[in-house]
Amino acid sequence: MLEISIFLSIIFILSFLLLFWFIHHENKKREKQDHLLTLVVIAILFSVIITFVFAFVLFLIIGSTNVIDKIFSLNINTNQLFIIGISFLIYWLTIDNIFEKLFEYMLGENIYAILFLALSRVVSCYIIGIIIKLNEVINMTVSIGVPLIILAIETLYYFKNNKSYINS
């Protein structure tokens, strides 16, 4: 639990500093400038929102990993669960976006791009598992299971937004 608190605290502090700098910089351009307290409150409010979004995605990943753990009786301890979740979140917010744009560019916005993205997530999660020194059985199961849960969510979202496949 300490890892999640530290991670979310870092997210909050970084977002607060960046937002405060941006709001203060933009505020200097205006004739009638807002008070410093107003800028701090606005930066805190938006930083809390950003931190909640990161926490939601992190708990989505940790929850997916926990479901895989319970289904296959892997007995992953809590610290490993948090480290897996944070590692997958960092990957998902960085390199995964590059893969997503690459597959959309090469294949278009269709189900094949989503499937190739899921395959790249399986490979990437497996590599992350090797880096964080997971047991081979746990690594293989989690690196297949978590991307499959994310694939199910993305596929449902894709078909919800593309009703032409459903009607034909």
Side-chain angles (χ1 to χ4, degrees):
M1 194 66 171
L2 182 64
E3 293 92 358
I4 290 181
S5 300
I6 292 171
F7 180 74
L8 292 177
S9 297
I10 290 170
I11 296 295
F12 176 78
I13 291 168
L14 287 175
S15 62
F16 172 76
L17 292 174
L18 289 172
L19 284 170
F20 180 76
W21 174 81
F22 176 74
I23 293 169
H24 184 66
H25 181 70
E26 291 297 317
N27 193 38
K28 284 182 179 179
K29 294 179 182 178
R30 296 177 34 195
E31 263 182 50
K32 183 182 176 196
Q33 295 183 354
D34 294 324
H35 295 287
L36 186 62
L37 181 63
T38 306
L39 301 179
V40 170
V41 169
I42 291 171
I44 288 174
L45 178 69
F46 283 113
S47 296
V48 166
I49 293 170
I50 290 169
T51 305
F52 277 138
V53 169
F54 273 88
F56 175 75
V57 173
L58 179 63
F59 289 128
L60 174 76
I61 293 171
I62 290 174
S64 299
T65 307
N66 198 20
V67 166
I68 299 300
D69 177 37
K70 297 297 181 206
I71 289 174
F72 294 105
S73 301
L74 298 175
N75 299 322
I76 301 173
N77 65 33
T78 307
N79 287 335
Q80 274 186 322
L81 196 64
F82 293 151
I83 291 171
I84 292 168
I86 291 171
S87 302
F88 286 1
L89 177 66
I90 291 170
Y91 162 76
W92 201 14
L93 295 173
T94 55
I95 300 169
D96 189 64
N97 288 320
I98 296 168
F99 284 141
E100 182 178 3
K101 295 302 175 194
L102 177 72
F103 291 135
E104 283 179 2
Y105 176 75
M106 290 178 6
L107 302 170
E109 291 187 27
N110 57 30
I111 195 70
Y112 298 115
I114 295 172
L115 292 174
F116 275 101
L117 183 61
L119 184 61
S120 73
R121 285 179 181 151
V122 168
V123 172
S124 300
C125 290
Y126 186 76
I127 293 170
I128 290 170
I130 291 172
I131 292 171
I132 61 176
K133 296 179 176 55
L134 287 178
N135 178 347
E136 186 66 31
V137 173
I138 293 173
N139 188 16
M140 184 64 73
T141 309
V142 169
S143 61
I144 292 173
V146 173
L148 281 178
I149 292 172
I150 295 171
L151 172 67
I153 294 168
E154 285 185 343
T155 304
L156 290 171
Y157 181 76
Y158 175 77
F159 284 127
K160 178 183 174 236
N161 290 334
N162 294 314
K163 299 206 185 277
S164 62
Y165 283 100
I166 296 172
N167 294 331
S168 55

